[in-house]
Every structure is written in structure tokens, then in C-alpha cells.
Amino acid sequence: MTEGFDLRDEPWIPVRLLTGGSARMGLRELFKRAHEIEDLEVPVPPAAAGLMRVLAAITARIAGHGDDRLDDPDIAEDDIGEWLRLRRRVLKAGRFRPEDVDAYFDKQVPAGRFDLFDEQRPFLQDPRLRAECVDAKGVPNTSGVNKLVMGRPTGINGAVLFGHFTDTAPVPVPAAEAAWHLVAQLYFGPSGQCTPRRITGDRTGSGDAAPLRKSVSYFPWGPDLFTSLVLAVPSPKAEVDWDADDACPWEEEQLADPLKPVAPMTWPGRLLTGRFRHAVLLVPSRDGREVTDAYITWSTHEPAPEVQDPYQILDRRKDGEFQAREADAARALWRDLDSLLLKDSRQDTQRPPALEGLPSSLLPVLRVRAYGFDQDGQQKDSVWFRSTTPRVLTWLEENDAEMAHHIKRCHAAAEQVGERLDFAARVAWKAATDSNVDLSPKAKIKLDARKPGPWASAALNRFWPGAEAEFWKLTEPGGRSEQPIKPFVHAALAALDEAIGQANRADIRVARARHRARSMILALLNPKSG
């Protein structure tokens, strides 16, 4: 028998307290002391993005006023105004009631459901994989602990990102950290080949991408974790099935049947925790302090439910449909700010529903927290990131329309200059290095997309940090300008010069190429002549 690891009370979630100290807490203590916690400090952003959804679902069950709860469908479905008033009363209380926390974890959820290694219903796992992930001889066919831990290489050619690990000598992972990566896999896991799972006569070994793969999530972030969690509970305006009973995986009476249609999307539990495409089972050490192996495979091949995630920006594709904005590690959070502030006033962008209907009294102290994972749609993981804005939500369009549209103009100007800088730097490299190029001012230069040269990338890497500094200056009192493009143009010129380098500019051909590129950028200040 393996010792359990009860996530209700084991210290597995790193947090930073309002006093400045750090601690690790189980779910019970985290909710009871949420008003004393400033921030989550989970060091794996995709795990934090998934954990926030789990915590928001639990918050909806726990948070209430009197006998009313935030997850009450009678309140939510009938009158959104009544639900918002209930949320304001919850926020005014300033903390979760300890008795409500205990009632949920000890009475409302069956015993063992929060145990990471429970024999019957381990938390967010499928114990059937012990019998279904086997080879032709019935020998267990595990995926390996390296497959579980994001950032570790797997297979022969896996890239080493955060340590040296091999499949031939896997290093166990502490149970607390394994819980983070379990959550990360369920929300951000890959598509394609996986450990085969035999349920019928077929032994299928491929699956679909997790629901948040290659995406970025945006949460309203308060001065303490209690406020952040309450505001993370999604609005009941979600388009879900209001006739079906709502449940999270740890609340379901039975495990989902992999061969049957996915349960209907309901609010808020399944909306936040019911869209997984992977099945996972952790293999613990005897003392339950570590995870030594894992099974990771598909959970369903049924069509994914069509429902909008409450924490994602949606962008219109060329076919007219919307998709979640993809995470880009090279894209700073301020470049998404207008999409977060504007109330869907652009036809091609929809802001996250979580930023709708925020209490006006809290807007001056609210920030936006972003968790993203730059990945491709299948197996490649690049970079994950976490970022937080200053207190910008007072500029929401419904609260300060003038400022929201000023932000939009500033961002549009920065993007326009960035695109011109990229093009101008490519032109400059071509002109400086190809002796067949005509350097006369009006001569056209044909670029080769396969040979962009080093200047464009170097210039953009210098431009965007400078552009961010100029952007925040434009948001300061008195910083609004009728021509916000000007400071970005100056930042682009400086970036171009740095990319080319002082020594290179001594060459007459480089000097002429530089002059042409600078003229292209300066033309943005006078559109009629450019």
C-alpha cells in the first residue's frame, strides 16, 4: 500500500503572503487564508493557468452570502444582475468563511477525491490506465516520469530545457511538483502519438491537444488572492447547457466513459475543468512522497465541446470564425492591452469574458495577470511565461472610453512602426550586402524571404522594449498625444542604428543602405509623402 498525498492538507501550492513571506499550502489552508495571500508562486506558468481554473471552480462552490452560492444556477440563469450583486456581497466580506471551506472539502466531496494517489479515484486521474495501458503480453506500458514533467526531454532527441534527464535514468519528482505537472498536462498537453490505450479490440495510441494548448490566459488580478479568486469565477452569461447537472471531475459519481460522447458543458464546473483530452495516472513511491513513473494517454476521441474559455482573447480567422489568441513569448503583454480594455468594439477581436462586469469600486486596484505557453499544436514546447500589467483596468472602455481608445491608437502606432522597421531593416541588409542592388532612392529592391539578414531580428529585439517604455509614457497624465506614432519612430531609428552597429556604418554602401531604411521609417511621420 502506498501512503496517500491529500491535496487538501499537504503543502503543495507555493504562495507569497501579504507580509512578504513565502509559504506552501494545501487547498484547505489556501482558501481559509486567501485574504492573507498576495499571489501564487507556482513556478510553472501552464500549471498556474490550469490551477487558477481549478481554484475558480472550487471558489464557486465555497463563496457565498447567507444561503446563496456563486454557483447557484437559479440565481445565475435568471438574472445576471442578481448574480453580480451576490458577488459584490461576497467581495465585501473580504474572506471565505472557514466553515464553508471545511464543509466542501470534508462533506460535499467524497472521501479520497483530493488524494493524489487514491486507489479508486486519484485526483484528476484515471486508475483504469493500469489495466488499459499494457503491451501485447499484458505488461504495464508506462509513459515515463520525464513525459509528465514539462521541461524535461523525452525520447532520444528531446531538448534539454531545465535539467539533464534521460529516459534510461529517470529522476523521481516530488509529489507536490508532480501535482503541478499533472494539471499542466491536462490543460496544455500535446496531440499526436501517445502511450497506447486498449479499451476495445483496438489499441489506440494517438490523441488530441489539450484545451489550452499554445494559448495565453488573462485573469483580473486583485490585491489579494481572495479577490483574484472571486473575480475568476466565470460569469453565468456563458453559453452552456443549463438543464444538465454541473460537476467537476472530482465531484462526478463515476469516471467518464472514453467511448461515449463528452458530458455537456455546464457552468461553472465543467466549463473550467471538464474539457480535458488526456488521461493521466501517476505512479507513486512507496512512501507517497515522490512520483516515479506515469501513464499519459488519450481520454476521448469525441469532438471537443464548443464553448468559449472565460480567460482568453478571441481573434477572427480568415474563414470568419474565432479562435483563442496564441501565446507568443516574444510578444509583451502591453501589446494585448487594447484587446483587454475595449468592449468588443472591434469586429475582429473579443476580450475575455472574465473582464466583463468587474466591480467599478475595484477597478483602480486591479491588474491583469497573463499565463502563456508558446507551443506548436502537436509536440513542440518552446517557452512559457507569466506577466502582470500595472493597475490598468480603470481604463476599461465602459469606465474610461477615451483612454481605452487612446491605448488602441498607441498600440496601433507601435505595431505599424514595428512592421516598417522589420521591412526597412531587411531592405537595408539586402542593399548593403548585394552588389547588384541599385542604391538610387527610387529604385525598387526585391527581397528574398529566405534571406532576411540579421539586422531585422536584432532591430526588433531592441525596438520592442523601447516601444514599451514609450507606450507607458503615453499613458501617463499629460502623456496623451495627437500623434502617438512619433516616439515609436524615434525608438525604431535608435533600434535600427544599434542593429547595424557603429563600425558597419563606416562602410559607404552600408551608410547609404542605412539612410534609405531610416527614410522609410521617417516617412511614417508624414503619411502623404510616405
Side-chain angles (χ1 to χ4, degrees):
M1 292 293 292
T2 299
E3 294 293 329
F5 192 89
D6 193 333
L7 297 177
R8 294 175 302 177
D9 300 307
E10 292 280 359
W12 66 286
I13 304 176
V15 299
R16 183 173 68 250
L17 301 174
L18 289 170
T19 58
S22 295
R24 283 199 181 194
M25 299 180 180
L27 290 168
R28 189 192 310 272
E29 184 180 8
L30 180 137
F31 278 98
K32 287 184 176 181
R33 299 182 61 190
H35 58 290
E36 302 174 17
I37 299 171
E38 181 179 356
D39 206 346
L40 296 176
E41 290 193 324
V42 178
V44 182
L51 178 61
M52 277 298 296
R53 288 165 168 82
V54 171
L55 296 178
I58 297 175
T59 298
R61 308 294 197 224
I62 291 174
H65 183 267
D67 294 330
D68 297 327
R69 295 288 181 274
L70 285 181
D71 68 340
D72 188 334
D74 293 332
I75 296 175
E77 187 179 9
D78 293 341
D79 185 356
I80 182 64
E82 185 179 352
W83 185 86
L84 291 173
R85 288 189 289 274
L86 172 60
R87 187 178 67 175
R88 285 197 293 270
R89 291 194 293 271
V90 170
L91 288 167
K92 187 176 181 180
R95 62 177 298 172
F96 298 114
R97 293 179 296 200
E99 60 271 22
D100 292 341
V101 176
D102 287 333
Y104 180 75
F105 287 119
D106 297 333
K107 299 177 182 178
Q108 297 173 27
V109 177
R113 298 292 179 84
F114 286 102
D115 191 334
L116 204 60
F117 305 133
D118 185 74
E119 285 292 320
Q120 302 301 319
R121 293 289 296 274
F123 181 70
L124 291 181
Q125 298 163 72
D126 192 334
R128 298 171 295 190
L129 302 189
R130 295 190 193 97
E132 295 173 354
C133 292
V134 294
D135 63 18
K137 297 181 180 180
V139 177
N141 181 24
T142 62
S143 309
V145 70
N146 288 349
K147 184 70 172 178
L148 169 72
V149 180
M150 289 193 167
R152 285 190 183 182
T154 57
I156 298 174
N157 298 317
V160 177
L161 298 179
F162 301 109
H164 293 275
F165 306 92
T166 66
D167 287 341
T168 56
V171 178
V173 60
E177 296 179 21
W180 310 340
H181 292 282
L182 165 66
V183 172
Q185 287 288 347
L186 292 173
Y187 282 99
F188 289 88
S191 64
Q193 185 177 358
C194 63
T195 297
R197 181 180 189 181
R198 187 192 300 276
I199 299 177
T200 61
D202 296 326
R203 187 166 174 264
T204 307
S206 65
D208 301 329
L212 301 186
R213 187 160 184 89
K214 66 178 183 178
S215 72
V216 56
S217 303
Y218 306 87
F219 297 90
W221 213 253
D224 55 65
L225 186 61
F226 166 78
T227 302
S228 299
L229 291 180
V230 173
L231 294 180
V233 177
S235 162
K237 291 174 68 176
E239 296 183 3
V240 296
D241 187 336
W242 288 99
D243 295 326
D245 292 334
D246 180 58
C248 299
W250 56 88
E251 299 167 342
E252 298 276 13
E253 291 185 9
Q254 297 180 335
L255 292 166
D257 188 334
L259 303 181
K260 291 185 177 180
V262 177
M265 282 297 98
T266 52
W267 173 90
R270 291 199 185 102
L271 174 65
L272 297 175
T273 64
R275 297 189 290 142
F276 302 141
R277 311 297 292 179
H278 293 75
V280 181
L281 180 62
L282 306 180
V283 179
S285 61
R286 185 171 294 276
D287 63 2
R289 296 293 95 187
E290 294 180 323
V291 168
T292 60
D293 207 341
Y295 299 85
I296 304 176
T297 186
W298 56 273
S299 65
T300 180
H301 290 124
E302 292 293 318
E306 295 184 5
V307 64
Q308 183 178 357
D309 187 277
Y311 315 109
Q312 294 180 339
I313 293 173
L314 296 184
D315 293 316
R316 192 185 298 275
R317 301 192 304 253
K318 292 182 179 179
D319 64 4
E321 298 299 319
F322 283 93
Q323 69 175 24
R325 179 165 296 180
E326 295 185 1
D328 182 352
R331 182 183 176 89
L333 180 55
W334 68 270
R335 295 171 66 184
D336 292 334
L337 193 55
D338 54 339
S339 297
L340 300 172
L341 298 177
L342 293 171
K343 188 176 174 60
D344 301 340
S345 47
R346 290 182 296 178
Q347 294 183 348
D348 295 332
T349 303
Q350 294 181 10
R351 75 180 179 192
L355 299 184
E356 302 281 353
L358 296 173
S360 58
S361 60
L362 286 176
L363 293 181
V365 299
L366 294 181
R367 299 169 291 163
V368 177
R369 165 66 51 79
Y371 292 112
F373 199 175
D374 191 332
Q375 308 169 285
D376 71 4
Q378 294 184 315
Q379 298 283 338
K380 182 182 178 182
D381 295 338
S382 298
V383 181
W384 57 52
F385 57 89
R386 184 189 87 161
S387 185
T388 311
T389 69
R391 297 172 179 176
V392 297
L393 290 184
T394 188
W395 300 335
L396 285 168
E397 183 178 7
E398 53 268 46
N399 192 61
D400 189 341
E402 181 180 354
M403 189 62 176
H405 286 276
H406 172 65
I407 295 291
K408 177 184 176 182
R409 289 192 297 271
C410 293
H411 175 224
E415 294 291 344
Q416 182 184 13
V417 174
E419 290 177 6
R420 181 64 63 89
L421 172 61
D422 180 43
F423 180 65
R426 292 170 189 262
V427 168
W429 174 256
K430 177 74 172 179
T433 58
D434 189 342
S435 59
N436 295 319
V437 170
D438 183 355
L439 295 181
S440 57
K442 294 186 179 181
K444 293 185 178 181
I445 298 178
K446 186 177 181 180
L447 299 179
D448 185 345
R450 298 170 298 176
K451 300 178 181 179
W455 290 348
S457 176
L460 289 173
N461 286 340
R462 290 166 171 80
F463 169 71
W464 285 115
E468 179 172 8
E470 296 299 336
F471 172 83
W472 291 117
K473 289 179 184 177
L474 290 167
T475 66
E476 295 174 354
R480 301 186 191 186
S481 169
E482 294 183 0
Q483 195 180 23
I485 199 170
K486 187 173 183 179
F488 298 118
V489 165
H490 291 313
L493 295 173
L496 177 69
D497 285 348
E498 290 180 30
I500 295 175
Q502 187 67 39
N504 287 333
R505 297 205 298 270
D507 181 276
I508 184 61
R509 192 172 186 90
V510 172
R512 294 177 68 182
R514 168 180 172 266
H515 177 74
R516 178 163 183 163
R518 287 175 62 88
S519 298
M520 294 171 64
I521 297 170
L522 284 166
L524 291 173
L525 296 178
N526 188 6
K528 293 182 180 180
S529 64

